[in-house]
Amino acid sequence: YRTDDDTKNALSTYAVVKTLCALDGVDKVKVTADGADMTDGSGTAAEYLTASDINLASDMYTSETREITLYFPHRDSENLYKERRTIKITDQQPVEQYIINELIKGPQSEEMAAALSSDTKLLSVEIYEDICFVNLKSDFTEKNSGNAAKEKLAVYSIVDSLTELKNIKRVQFLMDGKRVDKFGELDIKYPISRNSVIIG
C-alpha cells in the first residue's frame, strides 16, 4: 500500500477516506500502514480526516446548459405568458432554485413585466415527493403585495414555472421556514397546484 511517492500515498489515503466517509455512521477515518501513519502530499503524517477535508479535482462541480420555462405577466394583461430561457446550471444547486432566481431577475422581453420584486430573497428550496417547498424571506409578502391581481401573478409565476418540471406537481410556500395562512386574498397555507387558466 505504501510507496516511496508521498503524493501517491496521499491520493491512496484520500480515496480510502472518501469511500469510507460515504458510509452511514462514518464521519472520519485515519489510515495507517504497517502500524505507521500515512502521510499527505508534503510528507506530514495524516491524522483523522473527514470527506470535507479533501478536495480533489474530481470533486469539482459539473455544469451544463439547460432550457427552462418561466412565466411572466404581459404588460397589458393580467395573464401569465411563457418565456423560454437557456441558462447554465451546476450540480451544486437544484434547478428549482435557478428557476426562482431567474424569475426574480425579471423577463428578457420588453413586452413582459416582472412578476416578483427584484429584491425578493429566496432562502432555499427542498423537494419532497412531488412538492417543491419554496422558502422565502418573510418580507416577500410586503415586497410583492399591492393588489389582488399582482399577488396572484407573483404566486402563480412561481408555481407555474416550477410545475413545468416533470417532478413537481405542487408548491408549498414558506416564509423564514414557516407556513403562513394568507398572502393578500390568496390561501397559501397548503401546497398549491398549477393554474393553467391564468396562462395566456
Side-chain angles (χ1 to χ4, degrees), residues 155-197:
V155 166
Y156 283 105
S157 69
I158 294 174
V159 173
D160 286 1
S161 296
L162 289 174
T163 53
E164 280 284 328
L165 301 174
K166 292 181 179 179
N167 61 313
I168 305 298
K169 299 300 182 187
R170 293 175 294 166
V171 175
Q172 173 67 65
F173 286 89
L174 303 173
M175 307 295 165
D176 287 343
K178 299 177 181 178
R179 295 190 189 210
V180 296
D181 292 339
K182 293 281 189 179
F183 172 37
E185 298 178 3
L186 288 172
D187 184 349
I188 61 170
K189 184 176 182 179
Y190 300 107
I192 300 173
S193 299
R194 184 178 182 85
N195 183 348
S196 298
V197 175

Side-chain angles (χ1 to χ4, degrees), residues 53-84:
D53 293 328
I54 302 167
N55 294 305
L56 303 175
S58 60
D59 293 330
M60 294 299 287
Y61 65 80
T62 58
S63 63
E64 62 175 314
T65 56
R66 177 165 176 173
E67 185 178 78
I68 58 174
T69 300
L70 306 174
Y71 286 92
F72 295 100
H74 194 280
R75 292 191 179 278
D76 300 322
S77 171
E78 292 188 355
N79 288 335
L80 292 170
Y81 290 84
K82 185 180 295 186
E83 182 177 283
R84 289 191 173 91

Side-chain angles (χ1 to χ4, degrees), residues 128-143:
Y128 182 73
E129 295 182 346
D130 61 359
I131 301 173
C132 182
F133 289 77
V134 177
N135 185 19
L136 298 154
K137 194 172 179 182
S138 60
D139 61 5
F140 171 85
T141 53
E142 177 186 343
K143 293 181 182 298

Side-chain angles (χ1 to χ4, degrees), residues 82-100:
K82 185 180 295 186
E83 182 177 283
R84 289 191 173 91
R85 188 174 299 182
T86 300
I87 62 171
K88 186 175 181 179
I89 65 172
T90 74
D91 56 7
Q92 302 296 295
Q93 183 173 299
V95 66
E96 293 84 0
Q97 190 166 330
Y98 283 99
I99 287 173
I100 297 173

Side-chain angles (χ1 to χ4, degrees), residues 98-110:
Y98 283 99
I99 287 173
I100 297 173
N101 285 331
E102 290 296 314
L103 287 172
I104 293 170
K105 288 179 184 178
Q108 294 176 341
S109 170
E110 293 182 358

